[in-house]
Amino acid sequence: MAGFPFFRSLTLAGAALVSHGAHAADATTPPPVASFFAAPQVSQAALSPKGGYVALTTMLPDGIQALVVRDSGNLSKVTLLARSTADRALITSVHWINENRVGFTVKNFDKEFEGNRDEFAIDRNGENRVHLISGNWEHQQKQIGSNMVNRTLTAAYSFHGVTHDGSDDILVEKSTWNNTDRTLEHTRLMRLNTRTQALRNAFDGTQPEAVQSWFTDSNDVPRIVTAQIKGRCITSHRNADDTSWSEIGNSACYQDQRFTPLFFDGTDTLYVYAHHKDNGALFRYNLKAMKMDPEPFVETPGYDFTGSAEIDRVSRKLLGLHLHTDAATTFWLDPVLKAEQAKIDAALPNTINTVHCAQDCAASPVLLISSNSDRQPRRYLLYTRASGAITGLGSIHPDIQPAQMGPRSFHHYTARDGRSIPAYVTLPPGKPSGPQPAVVLVHGGPMARGSSWEWEAEAAFLATRGYVVIQPEFRGGTGFGADHFQAGWKQWGGTMQDDLADAARWAAKQGWADPQRVAIMGASYGGYATLMGLIKDPTVFRCGVEWAGVTDIKLRFTSTESDASRETLGYSLRLLVGDPDNPADAEMMRRNSPLLRAAELKQPLLMAHGLKDRRVPIEHAQKFSAAVKASNPNVTSIIYDNEGHGWRHPENSIAFWTQVESFLDRNLKQAP
């Protein structure tokens, strides 16, 4: 299907979702690289609990990020709360603690490891700022064995969530590590006062083993925890006034038809994700009967349920659900918000308008809108409920104009073995005459959903440079059913790889892609798939670009610099990728490791890696670069000294994509 996305039917009380209409765009001079990959101008926005104020992060003219608060009744009233003064630090999360107090998280992007987040709280008038958590690990080490009292918590703590009782408290997780790898042993939930810095347990009693995730009820009381132990996914529950926990789920991760807790609504009903037929759906779970409802509360046929809840914390009502099928949409249970959504959509046609309410939704004078489309980067707006007025707050990339972007559409194609594979296609702006050079852009994971219909910087950038961009949701990815996911187990370099070559051939048959000028590119798993695509299908892919890519499957298990946990190495990787102790799997891994077949890669290749990468350590890039350059002179290798697994610094993103543009122009667009 071409054009605007089709929202699949949503089964909930017989309701159906309706798509928005498409808008036209004329091809114009493409924006510069920085317009796509510079730091977002406005990166986040959040309503205060009663809706009187909106907090947002914005880039100041001097290039420094700032946190500001605006009065929702008079947006010209602006208070500057904080500036990100550290050279490589950015505010990554903003959360209202109560109507008068704001919390925010700062991350140092020069540090790859976890725990590297500072937490602050400040009154909305800019006073009473408190440094709650230091993300500096050196600070933590100094506190160990010291009698000095310092109320700023160490990097062993991290922000979990706000409370909803109007107090100055937040919830934080205290993490404990083992002595063998970099993965958490377990966490414990605690309550922290953001003024006095008083810290106390969020509940009484002990807790289950290896807790990784916490779920609290409407009174912010921990009720559900999850853990993963020796390949088993375990869910435990406690009543609000109990001091002990009981298991309500224990099953083999990935293999069994288990359920996963998602959220409590305001009336303390637990909602869980579980399989229904082939797709994951949303179910209610009765904690008194310890039983899941027999039928889904919401299902999205053809897609696994992916969504979040909109809850009124005062009335304790579940107001609606923000969902993803081929694109984002919202189903409102609340009739008032449903009507307001219709008014907003009428005023903002041709975009997906995701509406968020304050915690006290009924009393809030405003609604916050996050609006985007296939050609429009996300922008934030405020809807005044009394007047219907809509006011813009800013866009993540304001230099991008919809008329400069190409259309994006969702399709299915048939792989060589008959499997139906979803895919997103982004065409160059305007009306291209005949087949164009094309890029198969491969998502990472690989056990992840790759994309959605909305504007995406990488695909949009490539399309403005004249390339058809094909993004296959190949088997082994999530979001499209259990069978689609399981079909990719132990298929690195196998049928997962065939899906990518089949996508290129399919795009050529549609008349979009020039079959003689197709590139393959991607990061992480997508980097691995790029290398294997060039090796396995040299007649399909003319050149490739990979970054942060796995170059040898065996290194996933043996690298001493990797952040992979014992759990990942001992169970998850062996199930999903291959077991090196199994002779058949070991042979498959040798056969499908690019490093061992580097001499077969003859096409032009651009590769890049972060020196501080712990997910796919730098030795992957170093070993493959040395091996492939021995027989291929047309290989460029870039190392970014201050990057980890992917690009976190805008100047590196801009430099990298400038290199990509030149590389593709030389080796694909202008190639005979």
Side-chain angles (χ1 to χ4, degrees):
M1 185 213 106
F4 206 85
F6 173 65
F7 296 114
R8 301 289 183 180
S9 61
L10 170 70
T11 304
L12 191 149
L17 301 178
V18 182
S19 68
H20 306 272
H23 55 73
D26 297 322
T28 60
T29 302
V33 179
S35 296
F36 296 86
F37 300 106
Q41 181 65 36
V42 174
S43 52
Q44 47 204 317
L47 282 179
S48 63
K50 297 181 182 299
Y53 304 89
V54 57
L56 52 91
T57 54
T58 184
M59 299 302 293
L60 299 176
D62 59 4
I64 297 296
Q65 187 196 44
L67 171 62
V68 301
V69 165
R70 302 177 71 174
D71 188 317
S72 63
N74 182 357
L75 291 173
S76 64
K77 294 182 178 180
V78 182
T79 304
L80 175 65
L81 297 190
R83 290 164 58 99
S84 181
T85 56
D87 186 36
R88 298 295 184 182
L90 287 176
I91 298 169
T92 58
S93 176
V94 177
H95 28 271
W96 285 88
I97 298 165
N98 53 48
E99 192 70 10
N100 186 52
R101 197 151 176 79
V102 183
F104 60 99
T105 308
V106 178
K107 180 171 176 61
N108 184 340
F109 283 97
D110 267 347
K111 305 293 185 182
E112 173 75 354
F113 51 77
E114 293 301 317
N116 157 42
R117 291 177 174 85
D118 285 72
E119 187 68 24
F120 297 87
I122 190 170
D123 289 345
R124 61 174 165 81
N125 62 3
E127 298 178 357
N128 300 312
R129 172 169 163 161
V130 180
H131 190 183
L132 301 170
I133 300 172
S134 171
N136 187 338
W137 280 98
E138 293 179 0
H139 173 256
Q140 164 145 326
Q141 296 302 317
K142 290 176 182 178
Q143 299 305 305
I144 295 175
S146 171
N147 293 323
M148 182 179 64
V149 175
N150 187 332
R151 287 184 175 273
T152 299
L153 299 176
T154 68
Y157 293 83
S158 60
F159 173 77
H160 172 84
V162 298
T163 58
H164 306 91
D165 55 6
S167 72
D168 291 320
D169 290 358
I170 61 173
L171 296 172
V172 298
E173 293 183 39
K174 181 181 181 181
S175 301
T176 301
W177 282 263
N178 58 52
N179 295 319
T180 58
D181 58 40
R182 298 183 175 97
T183 303
L184 295 175
E185 186 75 20
H186 65 268
T187 66
R188 185 171 179 87
L189 200 63
M190 308 191 79
R191 193 168 175 122
L192 175 67
N193 186 285
T194 63
R195 292 191 187 276
T196 67
Q197 296 178 269
L199 182 70
R200 60 186 174 89
N201 284 319
F203 64 98
D204 295 325
T206 60
Q207 66 184 59
E209 179 186 1
V211 171
Q212 299 290 330
S213 300
W214 296 85
F215 299 86
T216 57
D217 63 17
S218 60
N219 294 316
D220 306 308
V221 175
R223 299 283 301 281
I224 299 288
V225 294
T226 64
Q228 186 170 335
I229 304 173
K230 296 182 178 180
R232 306 288 297 180
C233 283
I234 303 167
T235 301
S236 301
H237 162 261
R238 65 186 283 270
N239 292 318
D241 53 355
D242 282 351
T243 57
S244 60
W245 300 77
S246 59
E247 283 189 7
I248 58 174
N250 188 323
S251 57
C253 300
Y254 307 114
Q255 299 178 78
D256 294 339
Q257 296 295 310
R258 61 190 179 90
F259 67 84
T260 303
L262 293 181
F263 62 89
F264 281 90
D265 70 7
T267 60
D268 291 344
T269 298
L270 177 65
Y271 290 80
V272 302
Y273 172 97
H275 284 286
H276 178 65
K277 300 175 183 176
D278 183 56
N279 292 114
L282 183 68
F283 288 81
R284 287 190 178 106
Y285 189 96
N286 187 326
L287 287 170
K288 291 182 179 179
M290 296 295 180
K291 190 176 181 180
M292 191 171 68
D293 286 356
E295 294 298 322
F297 179 67
V298 173
E299 60 179 339
T300 48
Y303 304 85
D304 294 327
F305 173 85
T306 304
S308 61
E310 197 78 25
I311 298 172
D312 188 309
R313 295 291 178 173
V314 175
S315 68
R316 300 196 171 192
K317 288 174 54 181
L318 175 62
L319 303 172
L321 293 162
H322 302 298
L323 305 171
H324 261 91
T325 53
D326 56 334
T329 190
T330 300
F331 183 85
W332 291 111
L333 299 166
D334 182 82
V336 173
L337 284 163
K338 181 179 180 180
E340 289 175 311
Q341 176 82 61
K343 293 178 182 178
I344 290 168
D345 288 343
L348 300 172
N350 310 319
T351 53
I352 296 173
N353 307 304
T354 302
V355 177
H356 297 283
C357 204
Q359 290 182 25
D360 186 355
C361 186
S364 176
V366 296
L367 300 172
L368 179 65
I369 306 166
S370 172
S371 180
N372 59 359
S373 73
D374 60 336
R375 304 179 190 183
Q376 172 68 62
R378 180 176 295 106
R379 54 181 177 156
Y380 295 98
L381 309 100
L382 210 60
Y383 173 79
T384 302
R385 303 173 91 170
S387 65
I390 297 177
T391 308
L393 298 173
S395 169
I396 60 170
H397 293 297
D399 293 339
I400 298 292
Q401 300 302 316
Q404 298 173 299
M405 301 295 105
R408 188 166 166 84
S409 52
F410 181 68
H411 307 261
H412 284 83
Y413 65 93
T414 302
R416 65 190 69 180
D417 63 356
R419 178 172 294 276
S420 179
I421 307 294
Y424 291 90
V425 175
T426 307
L427 297 177
K431 295 182 178 180
S433 57
Q436 301 297 307
V439 173
V440 174
L441 184 58
V442 189
H443 71 73
M447 41 179 277
R449 169 94 183 244
S451 197
S452 186
W453 173 81
E454 296 82 4
W455 187 90
E456 188 176 281
E458 294 173 357
F461 169 74
L462 291 168
T464 62
R465 271 52 190 174
Y467 302 104
V468 175
V469 184
I470 307 113
Q471 294 174 273
E473 297 285 351
F474 49 86
R475 72 191 75 195
T478 58
F480 297 93
D483 181 67
H484 188 79
F485 172 45
Q486 293 174 3
W489 291 7
K490 298 186 179 182
Q491 289 299 316
W492 284 46
T495 55
M496 289 171 72
Q497 195 69 46
D498 293 340
D499 289 346
L500 307 179
D502 292 346
R505 295 186 176 103
W506 164 76
K509 289 180 180 179
Q510 308 309 305
W512 300 322
D514 178 352
Q516 302 301 316
R517 292 186 294 167
V518 180
I520 184 169
M521 62 188 296
S524 196
Y525 172 81
Y528 163 85
T530 294
L531 299 177
M532 276 307 298
L534 294 172
I535 293 167
K536 187 176 181 179
D537 295 292
T539 62
V540 175
F541 300 116
R542 189 182 188 107
C543 61
V545 180
E546 74 87 15
W547 62 108
V550 174
T551 67
D552 181 21
I553 301 177
K554 186 179 179 180
L555 268 178
R556 293 293 311 277
F557 294 88
T558 61
S559 174
T560 58
E561 298 300 315
S562 170
D563 64 359
S565 67
R566 291 176 299 175
E567 187 71 28
T568 298
L569 294 173
Y571 299 94
S572 301
L573 282 181
R574 292 170 188 265
L575 174 69
L576 302 175
V577 180
D579 185 348
D581 296 326
N582 178 299
D585 286 1
E587 172 55 31
M588 175 271 293
M589 292 160 65
R590 284 192 294 270
R591 184 172 64 251
N592 293 327
S593 283
L595 180 61
L596 304 183
R597 300 179 62 178
E600 299 176 51
L601 200 159
K602 303 298 185 182
Q603 306 96 310
L605 172 66
L606 173 63
M607 55 188 300
H609 217 95
L611 185 65
K612 299 179 180 179
D613 194 339
R614 290 187 174 179
R615 183 58 46 86
V616 182
I618 188 65
E619 60 185 307
H620 280 265
Q622 292 172 332
K623 290 182 176 181
F624 188 83
S625 177
V628 72
K629 287 180 178 179
S631 58
N632 186 343
N634 201 352
V635 175
T636 301
S637 180
I638 306 168
I639 302 296
Y640 294 109
D641 292 344
N642 61 345
E643 293 289 8
H645 194 58
W647 317 144
R648 303 174 183 228
H649 301 101
E651 66 273 18
N652 291 337
S653 292
I654 294 168
F656 172 72
W657 286 98
T658 300
Q659 289 255 34
V660 170
E661 181 174 14
S662 298
F663 175 86
L664 292 178
D665 186 67
R666 182 173 63 254
N667 294 294
L668 192 65
K669 183 182 291 185
Q670 296 180 9

